[in-house]
Amino acid sequence: MEMLYPIFSRNNFNLRKETTKAAEFTNDETKEIIYLVPTKKEISIILNPEIVDKKAILRADKKFHSTALTQFPKEMHTGAAPIHYGYSFKFANESELDSFLYSFNRI
């Protein structure tokens, strides 16, 4: 996962917090937060649902629930209490992630 950090840095996202469940990045200019979550097959990032809802151009794969998404809103999922959630976006390689982050900063 650490090998992807330079891609975030190149696109003005700085690492703010890292746990075993996710790495939290904040954009220096826009203050947008993106989480990078570890997966085995593809690259997976999680965006704030409020941003995805505002920017109609963004199309997410699905909702992602995790206690690691501490800066995102909560909703009821399968447990007894609300949990943080966001929308996941998956990429096959580093180039796709880089292109997405570049475009994301411009919409």
mmCIF file of all heavy atoms in Angstrom, residues 65-84:
data_model
loop_
_atom_site.group_PDB
_atom_site.id
_atom_site.type_symbol
_atom_site.label_atom_id
_atom_site.label_comp_id
_atom_site.label_asym_id
_atom_site.label_seq_id
_atom_site.Cartn_x
_atom_site.Cartn_y
_atom_site.Cartn_z
ATOM 1 N N HIS A 65 -18.363 0.391 4.365
ATOM 2 C CA HIS A 65 -18.528 0.727 5.778
ATOM 3 C C HIS A 65 -17.299 0.295 6.559
ATOM 4 O O HIS A 65 -16.834 -0.832 6.398
ATOM 5 C CB HIS A 65 -19.768 0.027 6.340
ATOM 6 C CG HIS A 65 -21.042 0.482 5.718
ATOM 7 N ND1 HIS A 65 -21.497 -0.018 4.517
ATOM 8 C CD2 HIS A 65 -21.936 1.412 6.103
ATOM 9 C CE1 HIS A 65 -22.641 0.571 4.207
ATOM 10 N NE2 HIS A 65 -22.922 1.451 5.156
ATOM 11 N N SER A 66 -16.800 1.192 7.426
ATOM 12 C CA SER A 66 -15.629 0.861 8.236
ATOM 13 C C SER A 66 -15.458 1.878 9.358
ATOM 14 O O SER A 66 -15.687 3.076 9.158
ATOM 15 C CB SER A 66 -14.365 0.845 7.382
ATOM 16 O OG SER A 66 -13.218 0.675 8.190
ATOM 17 N N THR A 67 -15.007 1.408 10.496
ATOM 18 C CA THR A 67 -14.697 2.315 11.603
ATOM 19 C C THR A 67 -13.485 3.173 11.283
ATOM 20 O O THR A 67 -13.264 4.193 11.916
ATOM 21 C CB THR A 67 -14.428 1.521 12.894
ATOM 22 O OG1 THR A 67 -13.372 0.580 12.648
ATOM 23 C CG2 THR A 67 -15.677 0.778 13.355
ATOM 24 N N ALA A 68 -12.685 2.792 10.302
ATOM 25 C CA ALA A 68 -11.476 3.541 9.937
ATOM 26 C C ALA A 68 -11.797 4.858 9.229
ATOM 27 O O ALA A 68 -10.961 5.747 9.171
ATOM 28 C CB ALA A 68 -10.586 2.690 9.042
ATOM 29 N N LEU A 69 -12.998 5.018 8.723
ATOM 30 C CA LEU A 69 -13.367 6.210 7.953
ATOM 31 C C LEU A 69 -13.857 7.313 8.896
ATOM 32 O O LEU A 69 -14.951 7.841 8.762
ATOM 33 C CB LEU A 69 -14.454 5.869 6.929
ATOM 34 C CG LEU A 69 -14.195 4.664 6.027
ATOM 35 C CD1 LEU A 69 -15.390 4.408 5.119
ATOM 36 C CD2 LEU A 69 -12.923 4.837 5.228
ATOM 37 N N THR A 70 -13.039 7.692 9.838
ATOM 38 C CA THR A 70 -13.452 8.552 10.947
ATOM 39 C C THR A 70 -13.908 9.948 10.543
ATOM 40 O O THR A 70 -14.636 10.590 11.292
ATOM 41 C CB THR A 70 -12.322 8.679 11.981
ATOM 42 O OG1 THR A 70 -11.159 9.216 11.333
ATOM 43 C CG2 THR A 70 -11.993 7.329 12.600
ATOM 44 N N GLN A 71 -13.507 10.436 9.383
ATOM 45 C CA GLN A 71 -13.884 11.782 8.942
ATOM 46 C C GLN A 71 -15.161 11.795 8.098
ATOM 47 O O GLN A 71 -15.601 12.865 7.674
ATOM 48 C CB GLN A 71 -12.734 12.413 8.145
ATOM 49 C CG GLN A 71 -11.454 12.536 8.924
ATOM 50 C CD GLN A 71 -11.608 13.394 10.163
ATOM 51 O OE1 GLN A 71 -12.162 14.492 10.106
ATOM 52 N NE2 GLN A 71 -11.147 12.889 11.292
ATOM 53 N N PHE A 72 -15.755 10.645 7.879
ATOM 54 C CA PHE A 72 -16.952 10.546 7.046
ATOM 55 C C PHE A 72 -18.189 10.370 7.910
ATOM 56 O O PHE A 72 -18.099 9.975 9.072
ATOM 57 C CB PHE A 72 -16.828 9.361 6.082
ATOM 58 C CG PHE A 72 -15.821 9.562 4.971
ATOM 59 C CD1 PHE A 72 -15.599 8.562 4.061
ATOM 60 C CD2 PHE A 72 -15.099 10.728 4.828
ATOM 61 C CE1 PHE A 72 -14.680 8.718 3.026
ATOM 62 C CE2 PHE A 72 -14.177 10.911 3.803
ATOM 63 C CZ PHE A 72 -13.974 9.891 2.900
ATOM 64 N N PRO A 73 -19.376 10.640 7.343
ATOM 65 C CA PRO A 73 -20.616 10.490 8.110
ATOM 66 C C PRO A 73 -20.899 9.029 8.446
ATOM 67 O O PRO A 73 -20.286 8.110 7.905
ATOM 68 C CB PRO A 73 -21.695 11.049 7.178
ATOM 69 C CG PRO A 73 -21.095 11.096 5.828
ATOM 70 C CD PRO A 73 -19.613 11.112 5.979
ATOM 71 N N LYS A 74 -21.862 8.847 9.347
ATOM 72 C CA LYS A 74 -22.270 7.505 9.765
ATOM 73 C C LYS A 74 -23.682 7.209 9.268
ATOM 74 O O LYS A 74 -24.476 8.118 9.023
ATOM 75 C CB LYS A 74 -22.272 7.393 11.284
ATOM 76 C CG LYS A 74 -20.917 7.437 11.929
ATOM 77 C CD LYS A 74 -21.064 7.265 13.433
ATOM 78 C CE LYS A 74 -19.712 7.209 14.117
ATOM 79 N NZ LYS A 74 -19.856 6.969 15.562
ATOM 80 N N GLU A 75 -23.969 5.913 9.160
ATOM 81 C CA GLU A 75 -25.318 5.442 8.862
ATOM 82 C C GLU A 75 -25.471 4.047 9.460
ATOM 83 O O GLU A 75 -24.487 3.382 9.770
ATOM 84 C CB GLU A 75 -25.592 5.411 7.357
ATOM 85 C CG GLU A 75 -24.884 4.294 6.617
ATOM 86 C CD GLU A 75 -25.279 4.197 5.151
ATOM 87 O OE1 GLU A 75 -26.005 5.068 4.640
ATOM 88 O OE2 GLU A 75 -24.861 3.223 4.502
ATOM 89 N N MET A 76 -26.690 3.620 9.601
ATOM 90 C CA MET A 76 -26.936 2.257 10.072
ATOM 91 C C MET A 76 -26.596 1.287 8.951
ATOM 92 O O MET A 76 -26.910 1.535 7.792
ATOM 93 C CB MET A 76 -28.398 2.076 10.496
ATOM 94 C CG MET A 76 -28.770 2.832 11.751
ATOM 95 S SD MET A 76 -27.792 2.379 13.205
ATOM 96 C CE MET A 76 -28.311 0.700 13.465
ATOM 97 N N HIS A 77 -25.942 0.207 9.334
ATOM 98 C CA HIS A 77 -25.609 -0.828 8.355
ATOM 99 C C HIS A 77 -26.117 -2.153 8.902
ATOM 100 O O HIS A 77 -27.316 -2.330 9.012
ATOM 101 C CB HIS A 77 -24.112 -0.825 8.069
ATOM 102 C CG HIS A 77 -23.678 -1.733 6.964
ATOM 103 N ND1 HIS A 77 -24.291 -1.746 5.733
ATOM 104 C CD2 HIS A 77 -22.702 -2.652 6.882
ATOM 105 C CE1 HIS A 77 -23.717 -2.648 4.954
ATOM 106 N NE2 HIS A 77 -22.734 -3.213 5.638
ATOM 107 N N THR A 78 -25.255 -3.069 9.264
ATOM 108 C CA THR A 78 -25.696 -4.375 9.763
ATOM 109 C C THR A 78 -25.609 -4.490 11.282
ATOM 110 O O THR A 78 -26.148 -5.419 11.853
ATOM 111 C CB THR A 78 -24.844 -5.506 9.147
ATOM 112 O OG1 THR A 78 -23.469 -5.271 9.460
ATOM 113 C CG2 THR A 78 -25.031 -5.555 7.642
ATOM 114 N N GLY A 79 -24.928 -3.553 11.925
ATOM 115 C CA GLY A 79 -24.737 -3.628 13.369
ATOM 116 C C GLY A 79 -25.823 -2.911 14.138
ATOM 117 O O GLY A 79 -26.824 -2.445 13.583
ATOM 118 N N ALA A 80 -25.608 -2.798 15.435
ATOM 119 C CA ALA A 80 -26.577 -2.163 16.319
ATOM 120 C C ALA A 80 -26.409 -0.653 16.374
ATOM 121 O O ALA A 80 -27.298 0.060 16.837
ATOM 122 C CB ALA A 80 -26.449 -2.746 17.722
ATOM 123 N N ALA A 81 -25.264 -0.155 15.920
ATOM 124 C CA ALA A 81 -24.989 1.278 15.972
ATOM 125 C C ALA A 81 -24.544 1.771 14.591
ATOM 126 O O ALA A 81 -24.040 0.999 13.787
ATOM 127 C CB ALA A 81 -23.888 1.545 17.001
ATOM 128 N N PRO A 82 -24.719 3.066 14.339
ATOM 129 C CA PRO A 82 -24.257 3.627 13.060
ATOM 130 C C PRO A 82 -22.751 3.473 12.904
ATOM 131 O O PRO A 82 -22.012 3.448 13.884
ATOM 132 C CB PRO A 82 -24.639 5.107 13.161
ATOM 133 C CG PRO A 82 -25.678 5.183 14.222
ATOM 134 C CD PRO A 82 -25.381 4.070 15.167
ATOM 135 N N ILE A 83 -22.317 3.372 11.648
ATOM 136 C CA ILE A 83 -20.898 3.205 11.326
ATOM 137 C C ILE A 83 -20.531 4.154 10.194
ATOM 138 O O ILE A 83 -21.376 4.483 9.349
ATOM 139 C CB ILE A 83 -20.588 1.733 10.952
ATOM 140 C CG1 ILE A 83 -19.089 1.504 10.805
ATOM 141 C CG2 ILE A 83 -21.346 1.313 9.710
ATOM 142 C CD1 ILE A 83 -18.701 0.035 10.716
ATOM 143 N N HIS A 84 -19.277 4.601 10.177
ATOM 144 C CA HIS A 84 -18.800 5.486 9.117
ATOM 145 C C HIS A 84 -18.875 4.773 7.764
ATOM 146 O O HIS A 84 -18.666 3.565 7.682
ATOM 147 C CB HIS A 84 -17.350 5.898 9.372
ATOM 148 C CG HIS A 84 -17.170 6.696 10.620
ATOM 149 N ND1 HIS A 84 -17.519 8.015 10.714
ATOM 150 C CD2 HIS A 84 -16.690 6.358 11.830
ATOM 151 C CE1 HIS A 84 -17.251 8.459 11.922
ATOM 152 N NE2 HIS A 84 -16.752 7.460 12.634
#
